[in-house]
Amino acid sequence: MLLLWALICSGVITYFCLTDSSNIPTVSFPSIDKIVHFCFHFGFTISWIVFFKKELKGKAPDDYKAYLISFIFSVFFGITIEILQSVFTISRAAEVTDILANALGALVGVFTAIAFKKQIDKI
C-alpha cells in the first residue's frame, strides 16, 4: 500500500509537470511556480521516506538510509522532470531555479520526517 501511495504521488507530480502549461489556470501570486515545486518534492520525499523506512526496516543498521535514498531520489527525479520538460513540451522549459526549489522541498521533507520520526514509525 505504501508503494502504491508513493507511486501515485510520483505520477501526479509527473503529470502536472509535463502537461501543457497553457491548460493550467494562471494565478497571479509571486513565485507560485517555485512554491508548487517545493511542495511537490516535499510530499514526494516524505512519501518515499515512509515507503523506504518500512522496506529497509531491519535491513540497515539505522533507518536514516531511507532519508538519504529518498532525498537523492527526489533530487534526481526533479532534474529528470526538468530535462523532460525541455525535451517533450513546448510550453515549458527547464529552469535551474525549479531544481533548487525541488531540492529545497526534498531537504525540508527529510528534516520534517526526522522531526516526526515517531509518528512515521507508527504507520
Side-chain angles (χ1 to χ4, degrees), residues 25-110:
T26 57
V27 178
S28 64
F29 187 84
S31 302
I32 189 70
D33 175 51
K34 305 311 173 234
I35 293 169
V36 168
H37 278 269
F38 175 93
C39 291
F40 275 172
H41 283 267
F42 175 85
F44 178 94
T45 303
I46 289 184
S47 68
W48 283 103
I49 285 171
V50 171
F51 169 72
F52 284 128
K53 279 183 65 118
K54 297 303 176 185
E55 285 299 306
L56 296 175
K57 196 161 204 86
K59 298 177 188 169
D62 59 54
D63 59 9
Y64 287 97
K65 196 178 231 183
Y67 302 123
L68 180 62
I69 292 169
S70 299
F71 175 77
I72 292 170
F73 184 37
S74 183
V75 170
F76 280 108
F77 180 79
I79 291 169
T80 302
I81 290 291
E82 289 302 311
I83 292 168
L84 292 175
Q85 281 180 342
S86 67
V87 173
F88 292 115
T89 67
I90 17 178
S91 61
R92 296 180 177 267
E95 295 181 31
V96 172
T97 52
D98 286 348
I99 293 170
L100 293 174
N102 297 343
L104 185 59
L107 187 62
V108 173
V110 167

Side-chain angles (χ1 to χ4, degrees), residues 19-30:
T19 191
D20 184 1
S21 63
S22 62
N23 294 333
I24 299 172
T26 57
V27 178
S28 64
F29 187 84

